[in-house]
Amino acid sequence: MDKLEITAHENAGGGEYRATPEGSAHTGKLTWRNEGENIRNANHTLVPQEIGGQGVAARLVERLVSDAREQGFKIRPTCSYVADKFAQNPEWSDLKA
């Protein structure tokens, strides 16, 4: 995958990250909901089959982690994919709620 645009979208109760590979009409998503003042519950990751296997989901999680570091929130990884990525990256343990 050459280029992947990731955008963040927030609302009062939560939000989502959306990732669209260049030249594709398909979008992967990682959704989260607010839990308390500084906790985001990462509850679902969805990547359409048409763009699967290109690292889209991993890049979505990396963006969430990057934003957590920059913005000072913690992540509760209830989505199994996000939980697996946290298990594979022990250096993220300080961000886990």
Side-chain angles (χ1 to χ4, degrees), residues 4-5 18-29 46-52 54 56:
L4 181 69
E5 179 183 5
R18 299 177 192 157
T20 306
E22 186 174 47
S24 176
H26 301 282
T27 300
K29 297 179 183 180
L46 173 68
V47 176
Q49 183 177 358
E50 293 83 358
I51 59 172
Q54 299 179 40
V56 173

Side-chain angles (χ1 to χ4, degrees), residues 3-85:
K3 189 173 180 186
L4 181 69
E5 179 183 5
I6 299 177
T7 56
H9 306 268
E10 282 190 55
N11 59 51
E16 67 183 17
Y17 291 92
R18 299 177 192 157
T20 306
E22 186 174 47
S24 176
H26 301 282
T27 300
K29 297 179 183 180
L30 185 158
T31 63
W32 56 272
R33 67 176 183 270
N34 287 321
E35 278 189 2
E37 196 167 311
N38 286 313
I39 297 174
R40 291 186 181 178
N41 181 330
N43 58 0
H44 190 66
T45 305
L46 173 68
V47 176
Q49 183 177 358
E50 293 83 358
I51 59 172
Q54 299 179 40
V56 173
R59 296 274 301 278
L60 285 163
V61 177
E62 290 166 2
R63 171 65 187 271
L64 174 67
V65 167
S66 175
D67 283 357
R69 291 223 183 275
E70 289 178 16
Q71 298 172 25
F73 59 83
K74 299 281 186 179
I75 301 165
R76 185 176 322 281
T78 56
C79 166
S80 61
Y81 183 82
V82 178
D84 286 347
K85 292 309 255 182

